[in-house]
Amino acid sequence: MPSPQSLYFALPLFFVADISLLYGAFYDIRDRKVNSFLFVPLFVFALVIYAIAGYSPVFIGISSAFFVITFFDLKPLAYALTGILFLGIFIIIDFITGLSYSTYFLYFIVLFMIYIIGTGERYFGIGDIKALIALSFSFLAPFQDSVTAAQSAYLSLVPFDMVLLINTAIISLLFIPYLAVYNYRRAGKIKAYHLFAVDYDQKLYGANPERYRIADYRGSKIMVYGAPTLLTIYIAFFISYLAGLWFI
């Protein structure tokens, strides 16, 4: 039976992930909304592969728990505590069993970090978190047997979700110069908040209200820009899959 990281499974998983991300990124750019069930097929496909290949039920079960709980409309405190509970269960099992699940330790630490940044949907929408969890789970295995262009001894030590999270953060930073240039072209100057927001403009807000959140900044109204995060994740996924740890 081929392992999940072999080309027999890596390419079909990549295809499902690519289609899901492409569809989601398109609607995220247009509507700033992501279908709640968009990444269910990818997660289920990976789950079946891992189950057939005999992967750890602890890995499959706790990963599934993180993914499933994102479909519940929990208050921020309950959401965060549930994530802590799942991580705690893994750590306890890892401690009791010794080295049995140590290979998943860093994966679950990063998965928890991904999950927790979705608390209250302040920085990432829950649809984005579902995408990151599904991708993290589906591409757990080391890169050495996949089609990644970059090969390094580090790749066998670092789980895919860590690379994906780092690349997503790096790509997200590109929206800062984008907004700076955009604001300079509109206003002819750069203010401190122009790195994350634009001056309040009723006409602009009325045309695309889904792109902005009205906020107060030192007594004045501004429009905080909501970046199409799934587009960022899409780009980061490609970079992570094809280039691996390019930043090392």
Side-chain angles (χ1 to χ4, degrees), residues 62-224:
I62 297 180
S63 296
S64 299
F66 271 110
F67 186 67
V68 169
I69 203 65
T70 60
F71 288 88
F72 291 85
D73 186 20
L74 299 178
K75 298 294 184 182
L77 180 59
Y79 178 89
L81 289 176
T82 303
I84 294 172
L85 174 64
F86 294 153
L87 180 62
I89 290 173
F90 167 73
I91 292 175
I92 291 171
I93 293 175
D94 185 58
F95 178 77
I96 293 174
T97 57
L99 299 177
S100 300
Y101 302 107
S102 59
T103 54
Y104 301 112
F105 190 83
L106 187 55
Y107 159 80
F108 275 117
I109 293 296
V110 178
L111 193 71
F112 171 74
M113 292 171 59
I114 290 172
Y115 174 87
I116 211 69
I117 59 178
T119 305
E121 299 188 66
R122 184 175 178 83
Y123 302 105
F124 282 80
I126 201 65
D128 304 319
I129 299 302
K130 291 174 182 176
L132 287 170
I133 292 177
L135 291 169
S136 299
F137 176 70
S138 301
F139 297 93
L140 162 81
F143 290 98
Q144 63 260 27
D145 293 328
S146 70
V147 294
T148 50
Q151 300 297 322
S152 166
Y154 294 107
L155 295 180
S156 62
L157 304 175
V158 179
F160 180 81
D161 57 354
M162 174 174 278
V163 181
L164 177 63
L165 185 60
I166 293 173
N167 281 328
T168 300
I170 292 173
I171 299 300
S172 296
L173 292 176
L174 296 179
F175 282 104
I176 294 177
Y178 165 77
L179 273 180
V181 172
Y182 177 76
N183 278 306
Y184 183 78
R185 294 181 64 180
R186 291 185 72 244
K189 55 184 176 181
I190 295 294
K191 299 178 182 178
Y193 64 81
H194 280 167
L195 299 180
F196 61 88
V198 300
D199 297 318
Y200 179 75
D201 184 321
Q202 179 60 46
K203 183 178 180 180
L204 181 62
Y205 181 76
N208 299 107
E210 73 282 353
R211 297 181 184 179
Y212 305 97
R213 175 174 57 84
I214 304 298
D216 180 78
Y217 184 82
R218 297 180 179 178
S220 300
K221 285 200 300 185
I222 61 173
M223 301 190 305
V224 179

Side-chain angles (χ1 to χ4, degrees), residues 34-68:
V34 179
N35 188 301
S36 294
F37 299 94
L38 179 60
F39 293 94
V40 170
L42 173 63
F43 193 93
V44 172
F45 184 25
L47 188 152
V48 171
I49 290 174
Y50 285 131
I52 293 174
Y55 267 55
S56 163
V58 173
F59 157 64
I60 295 174
I62 297 180
S63 296
S64 299
F66 271 110
F67 186 67
V68 169

